[in-house]
Amino acid sequence: MPATTYEEYTVKINQFPEDVRPYLIPEPRGLMVYRCLGCGEEFDIARLLYTCPKCGSVLLLHNKNKHLLNDVGGEKWRKIFDYRKMLNHTAIKGIFRYYEFMAPIIPLDRIIYLGEGHTPLVEANDRLKELVGLDFYFKNDGLNPSASFKDRGMACALSFINYLAEDESMGNILAICASTGDTSASAALYASYLEDFLKSAVLLPQGKVTPQQLSQPLGSGAKVLEMPGVFDDCMKVVESLAENYNVALLNSKNSWRILGQESFSFEIAQDFDYEVGDKTIVVPIGNAGNITAVMSGFLKFYKSDVIDRLPKIVGVQSEHADPVYRYYQVEDAHRRNFVPVTVQPSVAQAAMIGNPVSMPRVIELARTYDNTAGERKIFVVQVNEQEIMDSMIVANRNGNIACTQGGESLAGLRKAVEAGLIKSSEVGVLDSTAHILKFSMFQEMYFNNSFEPAFKVTPKPELANTPVQIHPKGLSRYPSSGKPLSEDEMGTFIREMTAEIARVLNLEEK
Ligand SMILES: *Cc1c(COP(=O)(O)O)cnc(C)c1O
Ligand SMILES: [Zn+2]
């Protein structure tokens, strides 16, 4: 059992400055409520709620004990987070390093930590910086346990469910989600950790997730249900299930997930020594939960003086799934009208969503964000499939591990620079939302020039890469399993192979 009390840590904590010591191991002191974005009504968190029982709109979580955050002051918070970094305390090792800003009602011993958060911030090399005309970093959220950023929100949502389940009268819980692949991988992983009272089922659009993404919930032991249609259709079915049956919904309609994903912003702030006024955060938009969380996270840090300026945020959408982009195309805020789109095939499959559930949250938070900053800081740009693929391949040929959505971030950054939304003195921070290995099939299509016409992607020949078969002709035998070559045959084989490889690689003899 990890230690959870102040006393168990006194030896180490005693070496820390006296003024931060009492804050290092946090205690539940929050007072959280769901607040409806439609009618403003507040609801008790004693039960899981996804939409407003009064008006049906989406919810966000609010901490009514906010004064506790403000009383501490920005300088002390920065110190607390920086010292917490040195603590080996499981519960606050991940996203809950920022406990007070997240869900300060969950006792530390109910927090689930599977290694999420604190993902590397990797500076782009000079070649990439030159290409874009800007200094920038990738924040590699593909290095989370299930290889996408979804683990941040899931760690929070499942910790909350784990806390609720303390009350044994809750009984067994079935957690359910619709997914473009990564939500289900993450939900299944975290649910499998809580096996004794929690089972999970995931609903996927058949053929619209990659084989790697499909293998993840299967491996975690979740019930995997494939259905016809795209994500938007799965989402409707899952919503109907959550309305009519006793299930815990793990989609980002679940506002505990948004809360956990705010850690992405908190980490960026800490990673840059809390100087984010000159930064532009770039995130792909699908269901719009992530950009909601990113805005909300920075706003919270700003309002509590942890940061003194807000960064810009650029959302990116493919032209094959761009309802949020279209919404913001209308300059006059009063004349904007959200219209869902029918998606077309996109390599940014995890963001291939035509009717984002979090749109009301985005509208509300973007308005608040810009008003708080006193200037426009939230932008949405559109990129095409070709730009996404080219950007992903180029990123990865320069030491990164970007998936198609990470490629979308880079393509979006380039768009934003071209459009003059970012000055060359500013610094980009790109959300690399998942690991390339989940999306290697798109890399393969690019290298083999095998995209369906609907994607409208033509690979650049100079970026293609395929394995070269080395098979010197004229040998009497080649190695095969269980049939070893004789010594002579092996000698010939090695000689011929070496010569052939030297020829292919153009090697000079010593
Ligand atoms: C879910 C997901 C997105 C889209 O995030 P939203 O919160 O749905 O907007 C982007 N990239 C990856 C890899 C994802 O899994
Ligand atoms: Zn309401």
Side-chain angles (χ1 to χ4, degrees), residues 36 39 52 55:
C36 171
C39 67
C52 174
C55 77

Side-chain angles (χ1 to χ4, degrees), residues 147-150 179-183 213 231 252 257-258 261 283-293 316-317 348-353 356 358 403-406 408-409 431-435 438-439:
S148 87
F149 77 78
K150 298 293 199 298
S179 178
T180 53
D182 293 334
T183 299
Q213 288 173 317
F231 171 83
S252 51
R257 276 196 47 209
I258 304 290
Q261 284 169 207
V283 289
I285 304 178
N287 223 4
N290 201 27
I291 192 164
T292 296
V316 193
Q317 294 211 292
Q349 203 169 53
M352 205 177 97
I353 295 173
S358 284
C403 66
T404 42
Q405 294 70 217
E408 188 175 15
S409 293
D431 194 346
S432 187
T433 49
H435 201 290
K438 282 189 180 229
F439 293 88

